[in-house]
Amino acid sequence: MLTKTNAVNAPAESQLGLVLRDLRKERGMTLLEASERTGLPVSTLSKIENGKMSISYDKLVSICRGLGIDMAQLFGADAPAGTQAPRTASSGRRSITRAGAGYTIETPNYRHLYPAADLLNKQIVPIVGEIHARSIAEFGEMIRHAGEEYAYVLEGAVDLYTDLYAPTRLETGDSVYFDSGMAHAYIAAAPGPCRILTICPADRDHPAPHVNGHSSAAPEPRAAAAGATSRVRRR
């Protein structure tokens, strides 16, 4: 479920789906074409557009790359697609997210809060996550996405599972930087809330080809997923 915490006009999960549908249709793409470009099944895209499926970071990246859009557009930022931030020594850009505010996506494995959701063309994507899953069996299929990821444990303890290393316990104040192309999953490892701050790439290094005059992205081949932070199944 997606909500905008402590803010007016919060887009519900169904509204995010409607935004996605409108953006897809603006590009003259059918669900099948969108599926081919994002690497997501038609059934998954249809469920997201109809507000019947939670959407995780890896799916967000795949959709944005495939449609050639900025992630913030799905959260309701209304700057025109393709608008680029000035590439100067200091662009003067900033976005303040007050305590308790931001866009939240709820899935069985995570509650993800996206600060600075109003800012288009970010170079990084900060995410505050509260971890629900308490075993890798409960988590299910791990996820992976292009780039590298940094995670800092804000509260509780977290076990980081990957497909290349043995599980690693991270306590409050510990952090990890890793190749997020590895399948990965964060698992709550202490009673009570377990929260992490993750910083992920904004995937701006994968420009999209043009479709009907619009920029859209052809997905790179995706390795079989096995891991999770923001998710291939759900997070």
Side-chain angles (χ1 to χ4, degrees):
M1 176 175 177
L2 184 147
T3 60
K4 184 176 181 182
T5 310
N6 290 352
V8 182
N9 298 325
E13 199 168 69
S14 58
Q15 187 170 335
L16 181 144
L18 292 175
V19 171
L20 172 59
R21 180 181 298 168
D22 288 344
L23 290 169
R24 172 178 62 79
K25 289 184 175 180
E26 280 178 11
R27 284 149 181 74
M29 299 171 65
T30 64
L31 275 172
L32 179 58
E33 290 170 331
S35 173
E36 292 170 349
R37 291 185 172 276
T38 62
L40 298 176
V42 169
S43 59
T44 296
L45 290 172
S46 178
K47 288 176 182 177
I48 292 171
E49 287 191 357
N50 287 286
K52 296 179 179 179
M53 177 179 286
S54 300
I55 185 168
S56 56
Y57 175 76
D58 57 305
K59 290 188 178 70
L60 284 171
V61 169
S62 296
I63 288 170
C64 292
R65 185 188 302 175
L67 271 63
I69 60 176
D70 190 279
M71 190 179 296
Q73 290 176 258
L74 290 175
F75 295 153
D78 54 8
T83 300
Q84 296 294 323
R87 300 293 179 144
T88 62
S90 177
S91 67
R93 300 200 321 151
R94 78 172 195 176
S95 174
I96 297 174
T97 304
R98 300 296 182 185
Y103 282 92
T104 301
I105 295 179
E106 188 87 38
T107 76
N109 290 324
Y110 298 102
R111 180 181 187 270
H112 273 171
L113 173 68
Y114 287 81
D118 59 322
L119 193 62
L120 289 166
N121 301 300
K122 292 189 289 291
Q123 301 303 302
I124 60 172
V125 179
I127 307 168
V128 178
E130 182 171 337
I131 302 168
H132 299 326
R134 296 195 172 266
S135 71
I136 192 65
E138 180 184 350
F139 189 96
E141 185 181 12
M142 297 192 289
I143 72 102
R144 69 177 81 225
H145 52 85
E148 298 176 332
E149 183 166 330
Y150 174 78
Y152 180 93
V153 180
L154 299 170
E155 183 179 6
V158 174
D159 285 339
L160 173 63
Y161 282 75
T162 69
D163 59 351
L164 297 183
Y165 295 91
T168 300
R169 175 68 51 87
L170 301 171
E171 305 284 351
T172 300
D174 291 344
S175 64
V176 60
Y177 187 106
F178 64 97
D179 174 5
S180 51
M182 292 189 296
H184 56 283
Y186 296 107
I187 305 300
C194 294
R195 297 169 59 246
I196 58 172
L197 167 67
T198 59
I199 299 175
C200 299
D203 199 48
R204 304 213 60 79
D205 293 331
H206 299 90
H210 285 80
V211 179
N212 296 337
H214 294 276
S215 175
S216 135
E220 297 177 335
R222 293 171 63 89
T229 270
S230 304
R231 344 161 237 221
V232 150
R233 240 180 159 157
R234 302 189 185 182
R235 277 190 164 221

